[in-house]
PDB file of all heavy atoms in Angstrom:
ATOM      1  N   LYS A  97     102.115  29.186 189.267  1.00  0.00           N
ATOM      2  CA  LYS A  97     102.454  27.759 189.156  1.00  0.00           C
ATOM      3  C   LYS A  97     103.041  27.458 187.786  1.00  0.00           C
ATOM      4  O   LYS A  97     104.047  26.744 187.663  1.00  0.00           O
ATOM      5  CB  LYS A  97     101.210  26.895 189.420  1.00  0.00           C
ATOM      6  CG  LYS A  97     101.455  25.394 189.252  1.00  0.00           C
ATOM      7  CD  LYS A  97     102.462  24.849 190.252  1.00  0.00           C
ATOM      8  CE  LYS A  97     102.475  23.338 190.301  1.00  0.00           C
ATOM      9  NZ  LYS A  97     103.342  22.693 189.343  1.00  0.00           N
ATOM     10  N   ALA A  98     102.432  28.016 186.729  1.00  0.00           N
ATOM     11  CA  ALA A  98     102.956  27.799 185.374  1.00  0.00           C
ATOM     12  C   ALA A  98     104.375  28.359 185.249  1.00  0.00           C
ATOM     13  O   ALA A  98     105.262  27.722 184.672  1.00  0.00           O
ATOM     14  CB  ALA A  98     102.028  28.425 184.338  1.00  0.00           C
ATOM     15  N   ALA A  99     104.600  29.559 185.802  1.00  0.00           N
ATOM     16  CA  ALA A  99     105.935  30.161 185.734  1.00  0.00           C
ATOM     17  C   ALA A  99     106.951  29.333 186.511  1.00  0.00           C
ATOM     18  O   ALA A  99     108.076  29.117 186.043  1.00  0.00           O
ATOM     19  CB  ALA A  99     105.890  31.588 186.279  1.00  0.00           C
ATOM     20  N   LEU A 100     106.566  28.845 187.687  1.00  0.00           N
ATOM     21  CA  LEU A 100     107.477  28.017 188.484  1.00  0.00           C
ATOM     22  C   LEU A 100     107.831  26.724 187.757  1.00  0.00           C
ATOM     23  O   LEU A 100     108.992  26.288 187.775  1.00  0.00           O
ATOM     24  CB  LEU A 100     106.858  27.711 189.843  1.00  0.00           C
ATOM     25  CG  LEU A 100     106.793  28.878 190.823  1.00  0.00           C
ATOM     26  CD1 LEU A 100     105.909  28.539 192.022  1.00  0.00           C
ATOM     27  CD2 LEU A 100     108.187  29.294 191.276  1.00  0.00           C
ATOM     28  N   ASP A 101     106.849  26.099 187.106  1.00  0.00           N
ATOM     29  CA  ASP A 101     107.127  24.882 186.331  1.00  0.00           C
ATOM     30  C   ASP A 101     108.110  25.172 185.204  1.00  0.00           C
ATOM     31  O   ASP A 101     109.075  24.428 184.999  1.00  0.00           O
ATOM     32  CB  ASP A 101     105.836  24.315 185.733  1.00  0.00           C
ATOM     33  CG  ASP A 101     104.932  23.667 186.751  1.00  0.00           C
ATOM     34  OD1 ASP A 101     105.360  23.429 187.893  1.00  0.00           O
ATOM     35  OD2 ASP A 101     103.763  23.389 186.394  1.00  0.00           O
ATOM     36  N   ARG A 102     107.871  26.248 184.484  1.00  0.00           N
ATOM     37  CA  ARG A 102     108.741  26.575 183.353  1.00  0.00           C
ATOM     38  C   ARG A 102     110.144  26.946 183.834  1.00  0.00           C
ATOM     39  O   ARG A 102     111.144  26.587 183.202  1.00  0.00           O
ATOM     40  CB  ARG A 102     108.126  27.713 182.542  1.00  0.00           C
ATOM     41  CG  ARG A 102     106.771  27.394 181.920  1.00  0.00           C
ATOM     42  CD  ARG A 102     106.842  26.772 180.552  1.00  0.00           C
ATOM     43  NE  ARG A 102     107.469  27.607 179.570  1.00  0.00           N
ATOM     44  CZ  ARG A 102     106.909  28.685 178.986  1.00  0.00           C
ATOM     45  NH1 ARG A 102     105.671  29.029 179.286  1.00  0.00           N
ATOM     46  NH2 ARG A 102     107.579  29.379 178.091  1.00  0.00           N
ATOM     47  N   LEU A 103     110.239  27.679 184.938  1.00  0.00           N
ATOM     48  CA  LEU A 103     111.550  28.069 185.457  1.00  0.00           C
ATOM     49  C   LEU A 103     112.348  26.868 185.959  1.00  0.00           C
ATOM     50  O   LEU A 103     113.545  26.781 185.714  1.00  0.00           O
ATOM     51  CB  LEU A 103     111.399  29.096 186.583  1.00  0.00           C
ATOM     52  CG  LEU A 103     111.052  30.515 186.142  1.00  0.00           C
ATOM     53  CD1 LEU A 103     110.646  31.366 187.343  1.00  0.00           C
ATOM     54  CD2 LEU A 103     112.212  31.152 185.393  1.00  0.00           C
ATOM     55  N   VAL A 104     111.702  25.950 186.652  1.00  0.00           N
ATOM     56  CA  VAL A 104     112.459  24.828 187.215  1.00  0.00           C
ATOM     57  C   VAL A 104     113.071  23.972 186.104  1.00  0.00           C
ATOM     58  O   VAL A 104     114.180  23.456 186.255  1.00  0.00           O
ATOM     59  CB  VAL A 104     111.609  23.981 188.188  1.00  0.00           C
ATOM     60  CG1 VAL A 104     110.737  22.978 187.484  1.00  0.00           C
ATOM     61  CG2 VAL A 104     112.507  23.271 189.205  1.00  0.00           C
ATOM     62  N   TYR A 105     112.382  23.862 184.979  1.00  0.00           N
ATOM     63  CA  TYR A 105     112.948  23.079 183.877  1.00  0.00           C
ATOM     64  C   TYR A 105     113.902  23.897 183.021  1.00  0.00           C
ATOM     65  O   TYR A 105     114.972  23.416 182.651  1.00  0.00           O
ATOM     66  CB  TYR A 105     111.831  22.441 183.039  1.00  0.00           C
ATOM     67  CG  TYR A 105     111.137  21.360 183.824  1.00  0.00           C
ATOM     68  CD1 TYR A 105     109.886  21.564 184.380  1.00  0.00           C
ATOM     69  CD2 TYR A 105     111.779  20.153 184.093  1.00  0.00           C
ATOM     70  CE1 TYR A 105     109.274  20.592 185.154  1.00  0.00           C
ATOM     71  CE2 TYR A 105     111.174  19.174 184.870  1.00  0.00           C
ATOM     72  CZ  TYR A 105     109.924  19.397 185.394  1.00  0.00           C
ATOM     73  OH  TYR A 105     109.343  18.451 186.173  1.00  0.00           O
ATOM     74  N   GLY A 106     113.556  25.143 182.730  1.00  0.00           N
ATOM     75  CA  GLY A 106     114.431  25.980 181.905  1.00  0.00           C
ATOM     76  C   GLY A 106     115.716  26.371 182.592  1.00  0.00           C
ATOM     77  O   GLY A 106     116.758  26.511 181.953  1.00  0.00           O
ATOM     78  N   MET A 107     115.668  26.548 183.913  1.00  0.00           N
ATOM     79  CA  MET A 107     116.859  26.948 184.677  1.00  0.00           C
ATOM     80  C   MET A 107     117.727  25.761 185.070  1.00  0.00           C
ATOM     81  O   MET A 107     118.942  25.887 185.179  1.00  0.00           O
ATOM     82  CB  MET A 107     116.450  27.684 185.948  1.00  0.00           C
ATOM     83  CG  MET A 107     115.902  29.062 185.717  1.00  0.00           C
ATOM     84  SD  MET A 107     117.201  30.227 185.273  1.00  0.00           S
ATOM     85  CE  MET A 107     116.359  31.766 185.575  1.00  0.00           C
ATOM     86  N   ASN A 108     117.093  24.623 185.321  1.00  0.00           N
ATOM     87  CA  ASN A 108     117.830  23.444 185.768  1.00  0.00           C
ATOM     88  C   ASN A 108     118.023  22.493 184.594  1.00  0.00           C
ATOM     89  O   ASN A 108     117.065  21.915 184.095  1.00  0.00           O
ATOM     90  CB  ASN A 108     117.064  22.731 186.896  1.00  0.00           C
ATOM     91  CG  ASN A 108     116.896  23.608 188.111  1.00  0.00           C
ATOM     92  OD1 ASN A 108     117.759  24.411 188.423  1.00  0.00           O
ATOM     93  ND2 ASN A 108     115.775  23.459 188.786  1.00  0.00           N
ATOM     94  N   LYS A 109     119.236  22.316 184.193  1.00  0.00           N
ATOM     95  CA  LYS A 109     119.539  21.478 183.030  1.00  0.00           C
ATOM     96  C   LYS A 109     119.815  20.043 183.484  1.00  0.00           C
ATOM     97  O   LYS A 109     120.857  19.462 183.219  1.00  0.00           O
ATOM     98  CB  LYS A 109     120.717  22.067 182.257  1.00  0.00           C
ATOM     99  CG  LYS A 109     120.530  23.522 181.854  1.00  0.00           C
ATOM    100  CD  LYS A 109     119.267  23.747 181.031  1.00  0.00           C
ATOM    101  CE  LYS A 109     119.130  25.204 180.636  1.00  0.00           C
ATOM    102  NZ  LYS A 109     117.976  25.443 179.773  1.00  0.00           N
ATOM    103  N   TYR A 110     118.853  19.486 184.215  1.00  0.00           N
ATOM    104  CA  TYR A 110     118.999  18.151 184.812  1.00  0.00           C
ATOM    105  C   TYR A 110     118.267  17.067 184.024  1.00  0.00           C
ATOM    106  O   TYR A 110     118.345  15.893 184.378  1.00  0.00           O
ATOM    107  CB  TYR A 110     118.383  18.107 186.213  1.00  0.00           C
ATOM    108  CG  TYR A 110     118.839  19.126 187.223  1.00  0.00           C
ATOM    109  CD1 TYR A 110     118.056  19.381 188.339  1.00  0.00           C
ATOM    110  CD2 TYR A 110     120.037  19.822 187.113  1.00  0.00           C
ATOM    111  CE1 TYR A 110     118.443  20.292 189.309  1.00  0.00           C
ATOM    112  CE2 TYR A 110     120.421  20.739 188.071  1.00  0.00           C
ATOM    113  CZ  TYR A 110     119.625  20.976 189.162  1.00  0.00           C
ATOM    114  OH  TYR A 110     120.007  21.866 190.118  1.00  0.00           O
TER     115      TYR A 110
END
Side-chain angles (χ1 to χ4, degrees):
K97 177 63 167 87
L100 288 168
D101 287 348
R102 298 271 299 285
L103 284 168
V104 82
Y105 291 104
M107 288 286 197
N108 298 326
K109 306 304 181 176
Y110 306 161

